[in-house]
């Protein structure tokens, strides 16, 4: 008898085409333009697109990569995307500004990690309070530690500041926060142009392989407990005009989330295809998918409370004037329908 793992791999290798691809679906495939951040929190989208599941469900799913959630919001606002797959913070802020996006699925939680390099890696052993480590770095080098993260308002930026100021009580005059894109962050770390950074998988595994001296100083659960990570948000227009297509998309994304929760390594070939075949080895992606920084979830309501906490903290930081209302932000009806169909 085939093992559960081998059975799941077989399901992954063979698209769910025969039972779903009816002539009517094949004749008219709704186009869904989805933006994503190149991190493992987007893995459910990669599976739906590259395992053939979306196509088998009668969907024309087209992916576009972005450097940050706030940048992607601009594309949503201009009408060039139907789906957003990235951090929830920019979605909530965008809704408050009139952009009709609704979170229909979660993808991951506690994705963030903080890594240090060079002298900061020496001063930030996990057994030592981070506040002492940053102060020691300043004393040893004569300058503040340069920390890279994504733009203000993004989940990585908020998570980093929460860890520094609220969890570790780091003095504000011993660090310098430097917002930049994901690719720039990785390049800056490897070049030692910054001393530390927030990273997500697969960058965490890739960077550790390339620079063995890199030190993992904090995981997402330490930086912001139950930190809301990636979400799938759909535009109100798409949900209204294409409700059947939206339901089919969520069904395939939930199918992917279930596989990731039970056998994440099996998704490595599709993730490699999405992130650039030949750039990242499949073996590296396989390790990244099962690392402590990869926690896949699906129920959007699991992150409602932590989303409210994150937005409240953005107010405290001065990133937004007041926390936007969560009314209408989470729509778990498609998730519930898809979950019921899978039971």
């Amino acid at each position: 008898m085939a093992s559960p793992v081998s059975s799941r791999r077989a399901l992954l290798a063979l698209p769910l085409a025969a039972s779903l691809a009816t002539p009517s679906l094949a004749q008219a495939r709704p186009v869904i333009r989805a933006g994503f951040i190149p991190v493992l929190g987007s893995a459910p989208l990669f599976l739906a697109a590259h395992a053939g599941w979306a196509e088998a469900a009668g969907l024309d799913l087209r992916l576009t990569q972005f450097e940050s959630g706030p940048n992607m919001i601009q594309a949503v606002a201009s009408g060039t995307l139907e789906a957003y797959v990235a951090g929830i913070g920019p979605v909530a802020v965008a809704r408050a500004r009139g952009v009709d996006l609704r979170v229909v699925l979660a993808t991951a939680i506690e994705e963030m990690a903080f890594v240090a390099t060079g002298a900061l890696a020496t001063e930030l052993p996990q057994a030592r309070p981070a506040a002492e480590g940053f102060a020691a770095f300043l004393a040893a080098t004569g300058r503040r530690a340069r920390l890279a993260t994504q733009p203000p308002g993004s989940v990585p930026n908020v998570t980093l500041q929460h860890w520094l100021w609220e969890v570790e009580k780091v003095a504000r005059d011993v660090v310098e926060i430097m917002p930049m894109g994901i690719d720039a962050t990785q390049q800056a770390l490897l070049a030692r142009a910054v001393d530390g950074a927030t990273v997500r998988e697969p960058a965490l595994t890739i960077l550790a392989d390339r620079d063995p001296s890199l030190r993992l100083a904090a995981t997402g659960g330490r930086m912001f407990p139950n930190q809301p990570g990636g979400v799938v948000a759909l535009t109100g227009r798409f949900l209204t005009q294409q409700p059947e297509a939206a339901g089919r998309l969520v069904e395939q994304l939930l199918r992917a989330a279930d596989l990731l929760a039970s056998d994440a390594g099996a998704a490595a070939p599709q993730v490699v295809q999405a992130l650039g075949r030949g750039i990242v080895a499949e073996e590296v992606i396989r390790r990244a998918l099962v690392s402590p920084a990869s926690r896949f979830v699906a129920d959007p309501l699991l992150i409602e409370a932590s989303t409210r906490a994150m937005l409240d903290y953005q107010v405290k930081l001065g990133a937004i004037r007041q926390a936007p209302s969560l009314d209408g932000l989470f729509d778990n009806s498609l998730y519930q329908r898809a979950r019921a169909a899978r039971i």
Side-chain angles (χ1 to χ4, degrees):
M1 179 179 293
S3 69
V5 171
S6 63
S7 298
R8 284 191 292 270
R9 292 184 190 280
L11 284 173
L12 182 61
L14 299 174
L16 194 66
S19 61
L20 293 179
T22 63
S24 60
L25 290 177
Q27 291 168 2
R29 297 185 184 278
V31 174
I32 304 175
R33 299 165 298 179
F36 71 93
I37 302 297
V39 297
L40 289 199
S42 303
L45 180 69
F46 302 156
L47 273 171
H50 297 294
W53 297 351
E55 182 180 2
L59 304 173
D60 184 356
L61 183 57
R62 305 177 184 180
L63 310 190
T64 302
Q65 179 174 314
F66 289 81
E67 278 289 292
S68 72
N71 289 343
M72 199 188 309
I73 289 296
Q74 296 177 18
V76 173
S78 70
T80 58
L81 294 176
E82 285 76 43
Y84 164 109
V85 184
I88 193 170
V91 179
V93 174
R95 272 188 61 86
R97 296 173 178 171
V99 180
D100 190 3
L101 268 174
R102 305 170 199 176
V103 175
V104 297
L105 207 66
T107 64
I109 61 172
E110 298 181 354
E111 296 175 274
M112 299 312 311
F114 181 82
V115 295
T117 189
L120 186 60
T122 302
E123 301 295 352
L124 276 181
Q126 290 185 331
R128 180 182 194 177
E132 292 182 9
F134 283 112
F137 176 88
L138 176 62
T141 65
R143 64 174 178 82
R144 296 183 293 168
R146 297 187 293 262
L147 312 181
T149 190
Q150 273 66 78
S154 67
V155 170
N157 191 298
V158 176
T159 301
L160 173 62
Q161 294 204 59
H162 184 271
W163 176 64
L164 290 172
W165 319 138
E166 307 301 326
V167 178
E168 300 293 349
K169 310 298 183 183
V170 174
R172 292 176 181 263
D173 60 356
V174 300
V175 300
E176 178 183 2
I177 295 177
M178 306 178 68
M180 59 183 71
I182 292 174
D183 288 342
T185 294
Q186 297 175 34
Q187 294 166 9
L189 271 172
L190 291 174
R192 302 270 176 105
V194 296
D195 306 295
T198 54
V199 297
R200 289 173 281 194
E201 291 289 8
L204 178 59
T205 297
I206 293 170
L207 291 168
D209 284 352
R210 293 183 181 178
D211 181 2
S213 67
L214 206 70
R215 181 181 297 278
L216 174 62
T219 58
R222 171 70 177 168
M223 298 176 77
F224 199 119
N226 202 38
Q227 170 251 311
V231 299
V232 178
L234 301 178
T235 67
R237 174 179 295 181
F238 178 67
L239 285 165
T240 299
Q241 296 180 352
Q242 299 276 5
E244 184 183 355
R248 280 185 263 144
L249 175 64
V250 171
E251 286 173 2
Q252 299 313 310
L253 293 173
L254 177 58
R255 179 187 177 201
D258 286 348
L259 177 66
L260 287 161
S262 62
D263 185 18
Q270 284 69 37
V271 175
V272 168
Q273 188 174 349
L275 296 180
R277 188 178 300 278
I279 298 176
V280 183
E282 185 174 314
E283 181 273 335
V284 171
I285 292 297
R286 198 174 302 278
R287 284 189 285 124
L289 282 163
V290 297
S291 89
S294 295
R295 295 190 59 191
F296 298 102
V297 299
D299 186 349
L301 297 189
L302 288 177
I303 60 170
E304 186 172 11
S306 55
T307 296
R308 182 174 287 105
M310 179 165 282
L311 291 170
D312 288 342
Y313 190 61
Q314 284 188 276
V315 174
K316 183 174 182 178
L317 290 175
I320 53 178
R321 293 185 62 181
Q322 66 179 59
S325 170
L326 298 189
D327 291 345
L329 175 62
F330 292 94
D331 180 353
N332 76 330
S333 60
L334 294 180
Y335 164 79
Q336 289 181 324
R337 194 179 311 155
R339 175 56 73 201
R342 290 187 60 78
I343 295 176

